[in-house]
Amino acid sequence: MLFHVRMDVAIPRDLDPDERDTLLATEKARALELQRNGTWLHLWRIVGQYSNISVFDVESTDELHEILWTLPLFPFMKVQVTPLAQHPSALAAQP
């Protein structure tokens, strides 16, 4: 199942700088791991915002929920999830 996920991040400005650096490094490592294993298919930055648009490929909504909750930055995110279905006019849908 494919899901379009928008993540808007708001890290508190008063967070300890060392804690922030550790948090960001841990988040990056987790994102890279999920991309390498084929779960996080696309990761795009939204210009001018601390936000991204992503596409995840998972077996279920429960799996996506668990993945999102394990992201180190999740406590600082507003997340919007949209399930995706193949469009009949897409090249991939053509015989």
Side-chain angles (χ1 to χ4, degrees):
M1 300 176 74
L2 296 177
F3 292 90
H4 167 278
V5 180
R6 178 180 172 136
M7 298 177 227
D8 299 305
V9 182
I11 299 173
R13 294 191 183 276
D14 61 350
L15 187 66
D16 176 75
D18 290 334
E19 190 175 336
R20 177 185 166 91
D21 291 346
T22 300
L23 181 65
L24 294 176
T26 307
E27 177 76 18
K28 183 175 183 176
R30 180 70 175 133
L32 291 171
E33 173 191 0
L34 290 166
Q35 290 173 77
R36 288 186 181 114
N37 76 19
T39 301
W40 199 328
L41 298 181
H42 297 279
L43 175 56
W44 296 94
R45 174 174 285 151
I46 299 174
V47 175
Q49 300 177 35
Y50 196 170
S51 302
N52 73 72
I53 296 291
S54 297
V55 176
F56 286 83
D57 186 5
V58 294
E59 293 296 319
S60 68
T61 54
D62 290 333
E63 181 182 0
L64 179 61
H65 181 80
E66 289 302 317
I67 288 168
L68 294 174
W69 274 74
T70 65
L71 295 175
L73 284 175
F74 184 78
F76 308 109
M77 289 181 185
K78 176 183 171 195
V79 178
Q80 296 174 306
V81 177
T82 305
L84 300 174
Q86 189 172 61
H87 194 285
S89 297
L91 282 175
Q94 303 309 304

